[in-house]
């Protein structure tokens, strides 16, 4: 009489067999050489499963044999399983060292096989390319004839050229140009006009981006924008720069203002960029071949004495104080009113009537003269009660009622100027905060 016993993965501690004159026990392939049959007196027989030292995992083979069965190479030449000199995964190391986070290419047709681009997101679903297009500024909205102060043009042009040929100059070239001066003097606007004239595609930042609820985020953003400008130079073949507007509003120390961790990181980032302009990391591991183009940095502000002194020292930052003289003011304002039919003599009389005013004051004159004309237009189209429906609830293709701009005259501009001066004086003289906060010190 034969008895056949088959075992599965179940952990068998004992198995009782009925008495028989003759039997043979055959196990499955899962338990080779692991069964011992003991005859227990008297009958019945007991079959026990015992794991030997050479089969500690209980899978029917040694650990080395099981590992050999589980690990199957795709190919002897497969790069997916390649190791670097240190024994680490080669592709994983390349991913850590690269700033390509699998979104720099996307599904852009012509970059990867058309089979994988698909039609779901469109043929050009390249996220970062669209982002770079928005980060850089082209100044296409600057239409018309504007005046650029020669001294301003010379300073920006020299700074840009010096940084782009710094590798052939035997001098220390400051990476940062700090343009500072009074409020409303046209520092940013003049710089943008120069960028347009020189064909520069700058990457623009503001002081509002120098702080974040996450520590280290603004510093990383500066490095990321710096590398974006470098990619503009490399990929588009055009000059670029990083421009930070109103830097003292984000980094300046005024009275008892608190210095945050992000303020310190931003200052340290700008100082490090000045000292090492071609080695910029945004978190990836360093590579010897990862060399960034030297990108000039231009910052604007009102008072650089509020900034960290080592940042504005000579060698890191080249300073330029912008205070337009009377000739610059007349030429800039004249170009502003030239299309309104005012002569240069009229512009001179307006500038002399309101001396010691910023350039934006003369732009506000022109804007103030539109107030009465706009009020008349609102009354003509139905009054303030109906203006919302007319402006925002028009039918598709329906145009707004015709608005006739006012004719600019010297008298209307002078009247607007006196109104603005009165508002300025009320702000400086009233100081209602003293009335509301009795205990506030002067």
């Amino acid at each position: 009489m034969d008895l056949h016993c088959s075992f599965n993965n179940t952990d068998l501690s004992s198995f009782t067999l009925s008495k028989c004159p003759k039997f043979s026990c055959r196990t499955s392939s899962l338990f080779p050489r692991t069964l011992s049959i003991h005859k227990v007196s008297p009958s019945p027989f007991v079959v026990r499963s015992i794991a030997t030292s050479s089969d500690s995992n209980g899978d029917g083979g040694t650990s080395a044999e099981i590992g050999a069965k589980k690990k199957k190479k795709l190919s002897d030449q497969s790069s997916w399983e390649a190791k670097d000199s240190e024994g680490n995964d080669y592709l994983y190391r390349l991913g850590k060292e690269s700033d390509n986070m699998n979104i720099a290419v996307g599904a852009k047709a012509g970059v990867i096989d058309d089979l994988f681009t698909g039609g779901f997101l469109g043929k050009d679903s390249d996220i970062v390319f669209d982002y770079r297009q928005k980060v850089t500024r082209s100044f296409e909205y600057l239409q018309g004839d504007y005046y650029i102060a020669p001294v301003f043009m010379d300073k920006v042009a020299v700074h840009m050229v010096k940084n782009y040929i710094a590798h052939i100059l035997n001098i220390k070239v400051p990476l940062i140009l700090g343009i500072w001066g009074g409020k409303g003097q046209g520092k940013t606007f003049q710089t943008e006009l120069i960028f347009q004239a020189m064909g520069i595609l700058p990457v623009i930042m503001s002081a509002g981006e120098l702080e974040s609820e996450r520590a280290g985020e603004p510093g990383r953003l500066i490095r990321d924008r710096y590398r974006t400008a470098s990619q503009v130079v490399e990929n588009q073949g055009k000059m670029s720069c990083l421009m930070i507007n109103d830097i003292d509003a984000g980094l300046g120390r005024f009275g008892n203002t608190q210095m945050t961790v992000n303020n310190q990181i931003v200052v340290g980032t700008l100082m490090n960029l000045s000292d090492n302009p071609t080695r910029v990391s945004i978190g990836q591991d360093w590579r010897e071949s990862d060399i960034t183009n030297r990108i000039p940095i231009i910052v604007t502000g009102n008072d650089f004495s509020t900034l960290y002194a080592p940042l504005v020292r000579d060698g890191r930052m080249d300073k330029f104080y912008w205070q337009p003289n009377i000739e610059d003011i007349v030429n800039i304002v004249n170009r502003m009113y030239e299309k309104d039919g005012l002569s240069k003599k009229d512009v001179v009389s307006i500038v002399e009537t309101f001396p010691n005013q910023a350039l934006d004051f003369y732009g506000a004159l022109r804007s103030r003269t539109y107030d009465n004309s706009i009020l008349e237009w609102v009354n003509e189209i139905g009054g303030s009660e109906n203006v919302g429906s007319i402006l925002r609830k028009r039918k598709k293709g329906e145009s707004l009622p015709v608005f006739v701009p006012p004719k600019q005259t010297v008298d209307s501009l002078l009247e607007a100027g006196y109104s603005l001066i009165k508002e300025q004086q009320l702000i400086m003289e009233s100081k209602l905060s003293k009335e509301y906060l009795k205990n506030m010190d002067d």
Side-chain angles (χ1 to χ4, degrees), residues 141-160:
Y141 62 91
L142 294 178
Q143 302 292 333
D145 190 14
Y146 297 96
Y147 176 82
I148 302 177
V151 63
F152 206 119
M153 179 73 172
D154 294 344
K155 191 64 179 180
V156 174
V158 168
H159 179 74
M160 294 291 296

Side-chain angles (χ1 to χ4, degrees), residues 196-296:
Q196 185 190 43
M198 296 182 64
I200 299 173
L201 292 179
V203 177
I204 308 294
M205 292 186 64
S206 68
E209 297 177 281
L210 302 182
E211 189 54 80
S212 173
E213 67 275 9
R214 295 187 295 271
E217 187 68 23
R220 179 186 174 89
L221 181 61
I222 290 176
R223 296 191 299 272
D224 186 40
R225 297 285 175 85
Y226 186 91
R227 290 178 66 94
T228 300
S230 174
Q231 292 173 357
V232 171
V233 175
E234 184 174 352
N235 299 332
Q236 301 187 29
K238 296 183 179 181
M239 289 195 300
S240 182
C241 70
L242 175 63
M243 184 173 181
I244 305 177
N245 289 315
D246 306 311
I247 189 173
D248 55 336
L251 298 181
R253 301 292 298 275
F254 302 94
N256 297 322
T257 54
Q258 183 180 5
M259 174 69 76
T260 67
V261 173
N262 278 325
N263 294 150
Q264 296 173 327
I265 292 176
V266 167
V267 170
T269 299
L270 292 174
M271 292 170 60
N272 179 259
L273 288 176
S274 300
D275 298 336
N276 302 282
T278 60
R279 301 288 288 173
V280 183
S281 170
I282 57 174
Q284 78 277 11
D285 291 348
W286 289 111
R287 283 187 299 171
E288 291 298 327
S289 60
D290 189 8
I291 303 298
T292 306
N293 294 298
R294 183 187 179 102
I295 299 298

Side-chain angles (χ1 to χ4, degrees), residues 9 29 74 79 98 116 127 146 151 166 195 228 249 296 355 359 367 373 379 388 397:
N9 286 335
S29 61
L74 298 175
S79 60
S98 175
F116 303 103
I127 303 171
Y146 297 96
V151 63
F195 290 158
T228 300
L359 280 171
S367 177
S373 298
N379 293 330

Side-chain angles (χ1 to χ4, degrees), residues 122-153:
K123 297 298 184 183
D124 290 329
S125 53
D126 187 351
I127 303 171
V128 172
F129 181 77
D130 295 337
Y131 163 76
R132 292 194 189 107
Q133 296 300 103
K134 295 175 183 177
V135 169
T136 56
R137 196 76 61 85
S138 61
F139 307 110
E140 296 179 354
Y141 62 91
L142 294 178
Q143 302 292 333
D145 190 14
Y146 297 96
Y147 176 82
I148 302 177
V151 63
F152 206 119
M153 179 73 172

Side-chain angles (χ1 to χ4, degrees), residues 175-188:
L175 184 72
I176 304 175
L177 172 62
I179 303 173
W180 65 288
K183 58 181 177 62
Q185 298 292 2
K187 297 180 290 295
T188 300

